[in-house]
Amino acid sequence: MIGRDVFSGAGRAGGDGHFLYLDFLRGCAAIAVVWLHWFVGHDRAAFGMATTAVDFFFLLSGFVIAHACDGRIQAPGGRADFLLRRAIRLWPVVLVGATLGLLRFAAKAAAEGGGLDELLGEYARTVLLIPHLAGEPFPLNIPYWSLLFEVAAYVVYCTVLTRRFGNLACLLLMLAGAAGVLGWAADSAGAAAPGREVSLLDGASRIAFAFPAGVLLARCLGGRVLRIDSPALAAVLAAGCLGLFALPLAAVGTSALFLTVVGVFPLLVALGRGLALEGRWAVAARWFGELSYPLYAVHMPTLWVAGFVLKKAWPDLGAGAGPLAFAACVAVALATLVWVDRPVRRLLGRKRAALLAERRAVRLRAAGARRAGPRLSGGRPPAGSPGLRRM
C-alpha cells in the first residue's frame, strides 16, 4: 500500500524518521566494522569491504535526518534545537568510548611506567572530537574520525542544505565528493587490507558525497512510502549487504568499490525504506538499530582489551578467538546502551523539553506585552480598534 510508513510491527515509520529495515541494515554494517577491525589487527584480509560501511552510515544519516527534520527545522529556533538534539544523541556514547580508550592506554602506561599527563590531554581531545591533523586523528578510539565528520555534516545540513538553495548545494557537494571518493577507491581497491591510518581528506570527500546524497534521496523520494511485504527480498538484501562487506579489498577493483559507494548503497536505502518487518523480526531490527551506534563507538577499545586477554589465556587461537572478542564488544555495547545511552538521553531530553517550553512561554509573554503596549502606555488605540463608546 502506498503512503504507509515503516516503523512499527505493522510497518509504520515513527515521527522521528526511523525505518526498521534500514535500522537492521545499520546494525549489520556495525557488525561488519567490528569484524573488519578484528581481522585487520591480525593481518587478515577478510571483511576488507566493511571499510565502506562508514559511507553507508553517512548516507543513512543524511537520509533519515532529511526525512525527519526537513520540515521542523524551519520553525523558529529549529536549527539550534536540531544541533542540540544531535549533541544529546552523540555525546553520551562518545564519552563512554573515549573513557574506554583512556582506560586501555592508562593500563598500558602503568604497566610500562609511563605518565598520564599526555593521556589526559588526548582524552580531552577525543571527547571534544578535536583531531590530530597528522597521523591518527583519534588514537584513543580510531573510528571517532567518522563521528567528527558526522558533526560537521550536521552543521552544514542546518546552515546550508536546508536553505532555499539546499538541493543545489547537495548536488555540488556530491560532485566534489564523488571525485574524492574515486581517488580514495583507486588507492584502496586491491589492497591486501585496509590502511591502518585514516586520511582526513579522504574522510571529508566520503561524507561530502554520502551525506548530501542521503538528504537528496530523501527529498526526491518524498514522504510517501511504498510498503513492500517481501520477507524473501528482505533476506536477500541483508545477505547481500553482509556478503559485500565480508569481501576482501584485494578482490575488488576501483570501479566496483566506487560504484558500491555511489550506486549500490543509495539503491539499497531506496529499496530498504519500504520493506516492512513484522513480529520478532521487527523487534530484532529495532535492537539492531539501537545497538549499532554504541557498538561502533566502543568496539575498538573493547577489541584491544579482549584481544590482549584472549592472547594471554589462549595464545594458540589467534584470529580464531574472534567470536569471543565479538561477544565482548556486544556485551559492552549493550551495557552502554542500557545503562548510559538510554537514561542519559531521556534525562537530557526532558531538560531540553523544559527549556523549549520555557522559551515558548517567554515568547508568548513578550508577544502579549507588545500587543498590550499602546493601551498600557496611554497612547491612542491602534487603527481599527473599537475605541471607547460615547456616553
Side-chain angles (χ1 to χ4, degrees):
M1 178 184 295
I2 293 178
R4 293 188 63 182
D5 300 321
V6 270
F7 183 66
S8 69
R12 296 187 321 125
D16 56 357
H18 281 283
F19 295 89
L20 266 189
Y21 192 73
L22 296 183
D23 278 348
F24 176 70
L25 292 181
R26 183 190 288 113
C28 292
I31 289 171
V33 170
V34 176
W35 283 106
L36 162 69
H37 288 140
W38 173 256
F39 283 119
V40 166
H42 289 81
D43 296 318
R44 302 293 179 88
F47 280 89
M49 276 293 287
T51 189
T52 63
V54 173
D55 303 272
F56 187 61
F57 292 146
F58 290 158
L59 181 74
L60 273 180
S61 181
F63 179 85
V64 172
I65 283 174
H67 182 273
C69 303
D70 265 0
R72 63 189 182 201
I73 203 171
Q74 304 298 338
R79 287 178 169 78
D81 183 55
F82 167 79
L83 292 176
L84 178 60
R85 286 166 63 94
R86 300 319 298 166
I88 291 173
R89 178 69 184 95
L90 282 183
W91 256 274
V93 176
V94 166
L95 189 61
V96 173
T99 303
L100 291 175
L102 173 68
L103 293 176
R104 182 257 180 178
F105 278 96
K108 181 180 179 181
E112 296 174 354
L116 298 180
D117 293 344
E118 186 176 346
L119 273 180
L120 293 176
E122 195 63 54
Y123 176 70
R125 294 180 70 108
T126 306
V127 169
L128 297 174
L129 296 181
I130 301 173
H132 293 281
L133 299 181
E136 194 66 61
F138 296 102
L140 290 189
N141 201 327
I142 294 171
Y144 272 28
W145 69 268
S146 64
L147 301 184
L148 167 68
F149 285 114
E150 276 277 332
V151 173
Y154 298 153
V155 175
V156 172
Y157 170 77
C158 72
T159 58
V160 178
L161 302 186
T162 51
R163 303 292 182 179
R164 192 175 305 174
F165 51 85
N167 289 345
L168 176 60
C170 283
L171 285 172
L172 294 176
L173 283 171
M174 287 171 61
L175 288 173
V181 169
L182 182 59
W184 166 78
D187 290 339
S188 302
R196 291 178 179 268
E197 282 192 3
V198 176
S199 163
L200 290 177
L201 182 60
D202 286 342
S205 299
R206 293 164 71 181
I207 198 165
F209 172 81
F211 188 90
V215 171
L216 206 55
L217 183 63
R219 291 172 181 171
C220 290
L221 295 176
R224 297 179 66 82
V225 178
L226 175 65
R227 176 185 166 96
I228 306 173
D229 290 296
S230 176
L233 179 60
V236 167
L237 287 181
C241 186
L242 282 173
L244 175 66
F245 288 141
L247 289 174
L249 280 175
V252 180
T254 299
S255 298
L257 185 56
F258 176 72
L259 290 176
T260 296
V261 174
V262 303
V264 174
F265 288 160
L267 180 61
L268 190 60
V269 171
L271 288 174
R273 73 173 193 138
L275 278 167
L277 297 176
E278 308 285 345
R280 294 179 180 177
W281 286 107
V283 174
R286 196 184 304 272
W287 272 101
F288 264 60
E290 282 200 83
L291 198 60
S292 60
Y293 174 46
L295 181 60
Y296 183 80
V298 306
H299 79 274
M300 185 61 88
T302 306
L303 282 179
W304 284 332
V305 175
F308 176 79
V309 172
L310 291 170
K311 186 176 181 180
K312 290 290 185 181
W314 296 286
D316 296 332
L317 281 180
L324 294 175
F326 176 75
C329 290
V330 172
V332 174
L334 187 59
T336 301
L337 173 67
V338 174
W339 294 335
V340 178
D341 188 29
R342 282 178 176 172
V344 172
R345 280 197 289 135
R346 278 197 295 265
L347 174 64
L348 296 178
R350 288 194 296 267
K351 291 185 177 295
R352 168 188 158 272
L355 177 63
L356 290 178
E358 182 180 347
R359 287 182 176 178
R360 279 194 296 267
V362 169
R363 284 199 300 267
L364 289 173
R365 287 196 297 268
R370 284 195 298 271
R371 286 195 297 268
R375 293 180 180 275
L376 295 176
S377 62
R380 297 177 62 185
S385 63
L388 299 175
R389 287 187 178 179
R390 292 185 178 182
M391 299 298 293

